[in-house]
Amino acid sequence: MQSLHETIKAKAYELRIPFPEIPNYISDNLKYEFYDWQKEAFENLITFEAIKEKTNDTNPTHLMFNMATGTGKTLLMASCILYYYKQGYRKFIFFVNQNNIVDKTENNFINETHSKYLFADTIVVDDKTVKIEKVDTFSNDDDAIEIKFTTIQKLYNDIHIEKENEVYLDDLIKKDIVMLADEGHHLNADTKKKKQEELGLDTELTEKTSQDEIERKGWEHTVIELLLNKNGSTEENRNVLLEFTATIPDNQRVADKYAPKTIYKFGLKEFLSAGYTKEINLVSSTLDKRERMLQALLFSWYRHQIALRNGIPNFKPVILFRSKTIDDSKADYEEFLTMVKTLTAKDFGFLTNIENKFIEGESIYEQGKSRVLDLIKFIKDESIKKTEIITFIKDNFTERNCIIT
């Protein structure tokens, strides 16, 4: 299935829609200029809305920007806020799955003194100075940009748990709202539809709530059904949901679901090719979790040895292991510490014929197999004993040198 970003230009040409230009009210009111990929992404958004207008499409807008970490998704969000303000929108909701990300984004959008504030010192649209305000509930003010910063759990609880929630939801439904979801696809899935009474809507959601429950209650019911689709209202619906993510899960059903919504794609490979990110090396293998942990520890030791041989004595490689859930993270952390404490030479048996366990890519940053072979060759050429490596790992990865976050 072709994605929206692959078909949108042909559709615009068919409808004789002119190529878009970035409006001055966007460029003049942002602190930074667009990179080429941000410009193209925003042009696709403008083109999409022009197609909707041309074809009299009255459905709410739901789009996905699939862009690698570091490509400037937050600046693109800021430009979308300005764009939809110009189109008459005043109420915005920014939500994610973690409080710490909410706090960081608040600084980007609200804190004028912060080094990462994204807007110009003074925002001017149509000769009027525009204020951006953080709010808990939306007012009747039609001049300022009002942004509610929240998590998916808090958004759900505001609607279903808090007192007078019916009044709160009715108020949201009456307004035209732009929702900005950071890594939003992680909050939803192709779960089966369930009747509202089966959802247990009086149960509070927390950061410890299961992913399945967040998907059903938080995303499918609250964000899509109640907010984006205005709880089935038959009135004109101008609501907008923009999702921003670095990775879409490697699941065909999820990929197919997002294909008609993916307005722009600029993944890690494209970002690397553009030459604007750190040089990295992607390693694909058939190793199990324990073997991948050991492989990472071996690379850490190897890099330290290379640093020493090049006169860099204080080189300290850092390893990040990422788990899917908080519970998985705790279990993996304990497994890692136990593995380090009980490490023996037998644990490195997986290195035998390891070259057959790696998938070598064609790109320069997918040469994981050759890097592993370099490591094995180094151990052999330098006549390094496994006990030497084990001592290094046990000394450097004791519990006092590790942190779970």
Side-chain angles (χ1 to χ4, degrees), residues 57-207:
D57 183 352
T58 58
N59 292 308
T61 294
H62 184 182
L63 299 173
M64 162 71 80
F65 293 88
N66 181 194
M67 301 169 68
T69 300
T71 55
K73 293 189 294 292
T74 314
L75 183 66
L76 193 58
M77 290 183 201
S79 66
C80 290
I81 290 172
L82 293 171
Y83 173 78
Y84 282 107
Y85 177 86
K86 176 71 172 178
Q87 311 312 309
Y89 293 82
R90 299 293 183 267
K91 316 304 178 187
F92 298 81
I93 300 176
F94 173 87
F95 61 91
V96 289
N97 196 33
Q98 295 179 324
N99 278 314
N100 61 328
I101 300 176
V102 174
D103 296 338
K104 291 178 182 178
T105 308
E106 278 187 29
N107 286 324
N108 293 144
F109 292 159
I110 300 295
N111 188 352
E112 298 178 10
T113 63
H114 197 272
S115 61
K116 293 189 176 182
Y117 182 67
L118 295 174
F119 294 104
D121 293 338
T122 303
I123 300 174
V124 179
V125 179
D126 294 333
D127 297 324
K128 290 172 54 179
T129 299
V130 179
K131 296 293 184 183
I132 300 181
E133 300 173 353
K134 172 187 173 182
V135 299
D136 289 323
T137 57
F138 295 125
S139 71
N140 293 321
D141 183 2
D142 284 333
D143 293 324
I145 293 171
E146 295 185 345
I147 306 178
K148 178 180 175 67
F149 295 92
T150 187
T151 62
I152 186 73
Q153 296 92 338
K154 179 71 163 56
L155 186 62
Y156 169 88
N157 294 338
D158 283 346
I159 290 174
H160 294 288
I161 307 301
E162 299 297 329
K163 294 180 180 179
E164 301 180 352
N165 52 44
E166 289 184 8
V167 174
Y168 180 69
L169 178 59
D170 287 344
D171 185 56
L172 289 178
I173 290 173
K174 291 175 184 177
K175 291 178 169 58
D176 296 327
I177 297 173
V178 177
M179 292 176 281
L180 306 167
D182 194 9
E183 300 296 338
H185 75 276
H186 287 304
L187 309 176
N188 75 98
D190 289 320
T191 50
K192 294 179 180 179
K193 293 292 182 183
K194 296 194 176 185
K195 294 180 181 179
Q196 186 164 328
E197 59 266 24
E198 294 176 341
L199 290 175
L201 297 178
D202 58 346
T203 305
E204 184 175 5
L205 294 187
T206 70
E207 289 198 2

Side-chain angles (χ1 to χ4, degrees), residues 238-274:
R238 298 180 65 241
N239 278 358
V240 176
L241 171 58
L242 304 178
E243 300 185 50
F244 298 81
T245 186
T247 54
I248 293 179
D250 187 16
N251 178 296
Q252 192 58 48
R253 284 179 299 174
V254 176
D256 289 343
K257 182 169 72 170
Y258 272 104
K261 300 178 179 67
T262 305
I263 190 72
Y264 191 67
K265 178 176 174 58
F266 191 73
L268 183 57
K269 291 183 180 180
E270 291 84 1
F271 194 25
L272 286 165
S273 298

Side-chain angles (χ1 to χ4, degrees), residues 191-226:
T191 50
K192 294 179 180 179
K193 293 292 182 183
K194 296 194 176 185
K195 294 180 181 179
Q196 186 164 328
E197 59 266 24
E198 294 176 341
L199 290 175
L201 297 178
D202 58 346
T203 305
E204 184 175 5
L205 294 187
T206 70
E207 289 198 2
K208 294 184 179 179
T209 300
S210 72
Q211 192 67 21
D212 179 67
E213 201 167 5
I214 291 174
E215 290 165 358
R216 290 188 296 109
K217 296 181 180 180
W219 184 267
E220 293 180 356
H221 178 67
T222 303
V223 175
I224 302 298
E225 183 181 336
L226 294 186

